[in-house]
Amino acid sequence: MAAADLAIPAGELAIAHPIPQTWPDSCLGLATANEMCAQVLVDGWQVEVVHGADTWVYRTDQEGRIIRQASSGNR
């Protein structure tokens, strides 16, 4: 997902600092305008995706089925 989002080959990306989290809803706390999210607690992870000096933060559910970019990084 991150490779496609960022248009960077997956082999050039690294995953760093996985932190277990419990998100407040099915949108992992990152709902967009007019988006409906189930109001359930979702266990998952916050991870950093690293490419050189650039870092982006992603959120995921426990199984990695839901993945959302939480920050646009320092590109």
Side-chain angles (χ1 to χ4, degrees), residues 14-56:
I15 302 297
H17 306 107
I19 301 169
Q21 296 285 334
T22 299
W23 308 114
D25 55 44
S26 64
C27 295
L28 311 180
L30 298 171
T32 59
N34 300 318
E35 182 176 19
M36 299 295 293
C37 306
Q39 299 300 303
V40 297
L41 296 177
V42 177
D43 290 331
W45 297 90
Q46 178 170 294
V47 299
E48 293 179 4
V49 176
V50 181
H51 180 258
D54 296 321
T55 302
W56 300 266

Side-chain angles (χ1 to χ4, degrees), residues 5-6 30 46-49 54-59 68-75:
D5 284 351
L6 305 171
L30 298 171
Q46 178 170 294
V47 299
E48 293 179 4
V49 176
D54 296 321
T55 302
W56 300 266
V57 176
Y58 278 80
R59 294 180 180 182
R68 291 196 172 217
Q69 187 175 356
S71 76
S72 57
N74 49 344
R75 289 189 85 182

